[in-house]
Amino acid sequence: MFEHVKVPSDYSLGYVHRTKNVRISILKFKSTYPDAEKGTDPVEVYIFSPKRRKVGSVMILQGLGSRNVLYLLRMAYYLSKRKIEAVVPVLPGNFTRVAHGSVSGKDYFSSDLGKMTRFWEHALTDLLSLLELLKVKKMWHERNCLFGYCLGGMIAVLLNALSSDFKKTIIMMAGGDFATLFWRSPTLSFVRRELRSGKGEEHGMTNEENFYDVYRSDLERLKEFSSVQEMLSSNIHPLLKLDPLAYAKFVDTSRIVMLEAMFDKALPKSTRDILWEHLGKPKRIKVPSSHVSWLPFQVLAARYIMKLLKEQGAED
């Protein structure tokens, strides 16, 4: 599934803005994923670099759609002013990388599991290839953190199962159990319309109760697998192969912190709880906000990132 991860052979890195203490640049390279949808290539990455010696690195992963991106860019700028280099990749299918004829964020959840799988694979391939490039260019600091919001938090779980390069990871407003999300999340009402029209029948997803039964049975089977590749090679439901729950057992619990919105209506509480449990019950902090109302206060999340970086040891 991830055999196409490699250091990009060619890239461009140019400054788009400078302030007294920060350089903002855009890194671009051709995706190494071979099945990229039209409109999703090249990879685009915003990099906020302190002009003085940096004391850490953070990679910030966006949520579904485009509205959250500007808030996260402000968070990146805040961190860079405090000597932390902030890397903000644009995920394929989101923001400036929307597939031709689609809508920002829509393709990560679909009754068409082939298409949905391609977008998740594409995102992971791009992020792992980006990480390899940052390491080669000595742009990934020993003191580092991965921050993922919503979709980005789910992808962060998969990244941690596939890479040990993230010292700490903050998963914010994220959940697992895609069967429940498909049928119960208000955000995914468009998927339910597809299922009710008969799409997804080939994977048994159109009958809600039967779908739950199959999914619950396969969740129990996750205990059988000793590696990610073994899980991916199995005959469990193809949707589960994208679900953070399937990757959680391969993640170091001590590296994870979950930030959970107390008034989150976008993600059913059961989906947040089950992800926390499958991750081994890592540290969990409940935030008095809804799924999106924390965004204007992104500085508070930035300060928590700074705290986690400081705890990793003295500055170089």
Side-chain angles (χ1 to χ4, degrees):
M1 185 177 181
F2 307 110
E3 63 271 20
H4 301 291
V5 174
K6 59 186 72 173
V7 178
S9 58
D10 194 17
Y11 66 89
S12 65
L13 179 65
Y15 298 130
V16 294
H17 187 65
R18 302 185 190 198
T19 68
K20 181 179 179 182
N21 299 310
V22 177
R23 293 187 182 92
I24 305 170
S25 56
I26 294 183
L27 168 68
K28 292 186 180 184
F29 58 87
K30 183 174 176 57
S31 177
T32 58
Y33 185 66
D35 296 321
E37 296 275 345
K38 183 179 179 181
T40 62
D41 217 4
V43 180
E44 295 182 358
V45 186
Y46 293 91
I47 301 180
F48 294 75
S49 303
K51 286 186 177 179
R52 290 181 250 171
R53 178 176 56 90
K54 69 179 180 181
V55 299
S57 298
V58 60
M59 184 181 292
I60 300 173
L61 304 182
Q62 67 190 86
L64 281 174
S66 299
R67 286 186 294 179
N68 63 98
V69 176
L70 294 180
Y71 291 104
L72 298 180
L73 292 176
R74 290 174 194 158
M75 184 167 81
Y77 180 60
Y78 177 89
L79 289 165
S80 64
K81 288 196 297 182
R82 284 147 185 85
K83 301 182 183 179
I84 298 167
E85 189 162 56
V87 178
V88 188
V90 178
L91 298 177
N94 268 337
F95 199 44
T96 56
R97 298 182 66 192
V98 178
H100 181 69
S102 189
V103 177
S104 181
K106 185 178 180 181
D107 295 312
Y108 282 89
F109 294 96
S110 172
S111 61
D112 182 345
L113 294 191
K115 184 176 184 179
M116 181 175 166
T117 297
R118 287 195 298 276
F119 274 88
W120 283 78
E121 287 182 347
H122 188 178
L124 289 164
T125 299
D126 285 355
L127 293 171
L128 290 169
S129 295
L130 168 63
L131 183 60
E132 291 304 309
L133 177 61
L134 294 176
K135 288 158 57 180
V136 166
K137 303 301 291 182
K138 300 188 184 306
M139 295 172 66
W140 189 244
H141 200 280
E142 181 70 17
R143 300 166 75 226
N144 62 69
C145 181
L146 175 64
F147 175 92
Y149 163 60
C150 184
L151 169 67
M154 298 176 190
I155 290 176
V157 176
L158 278 64
L159 284 174
N160 271 270
L162 297 165
S163 172
S164 59
D165 287 306
F166 302 104
K167 294 294 181 63
K168 282 290 185 179
T169 294
I170 300 172
I171 299 169
M172 190 164 192
M173 318 314 186
D177 186 0
F178 283 178
T180 297
L181 287 175
F182 268 32
W183 278 103
R184 300 289 169 83
S185 170
T187 307
L188 301 184
S189 58
F190 68 93
V191 177
R192 287 190 289 282
R193 288 194 295 271
E194 295 174 357
L195 297 177
R196 288 173 179 137
S197 72
K199 295 178 180 178
E201 186 175 9
E202 69 275 20
H203 296 298
M205 300 190 297
T206 54
N207 184 303
E208 183 178 354
E209 292 307 318
N210 287 348
F211 184 28
Y212 283 151
D213 289 342
V214 171
Y215 213 77
R216 296 291 177 272
S217 175
D218 282 352
L219 278 174
E220 287 298 315
R221 292 184 56 200
L222 294 177
K223 301 171 185 175
E224 304 171 8
F225 308 126
S226 58
S227 69
V228 171
Q229 288 302 325
E230 186 180 355
M231 179 272 292
L232 291 173
S233 300
S234 73
N235 64 348
I236 60 173
H237 197 282
L239 183 63
L240 184 53
K241 294 181 180 181
L242 304 176
D243 196 319
L245 298 184
Y247 295 78
K249 68 175 288 185
F250 306 109
V251 173
D252 183 347
T253 303
S254 67
R255 296 187 177 206
I256 304 296
V257 178
M258 291 188 72
L259 298 184
E260 179 182 347
M262 296 170 64
F263 311 114
D264 194 337
K265 301 298 183 184
L267 298 171
K269 189 175 187 303
S270 67
T271 66
R272 294 174 265 144
D273 288 342
I274 195 172
L275 178 58
W276 176 68
E277 291 166 1
H278 277 245
L279 282 168
K281 299 183 178 180
K283 181 176 182 179
R284 179 163 62 168
I285 301 171
K286 297 195 175 183
V287 181
S289 77
S290 70
H291 191 76
V292 298
S293 63
W294 73 276
L295 284 166
F297 308 99
Q298 76 281 150
V299 167
L300 298 178
R303 288 175 179 170
Y304 190 66
I305 291 171
M306 293 166 60
K307 176 179 181 293
L308 292 182
L309 290 176
K310 187 175 182 180
E311 289 174 354
Q312 292 177 32
E315 299 176 10
D316 293 342

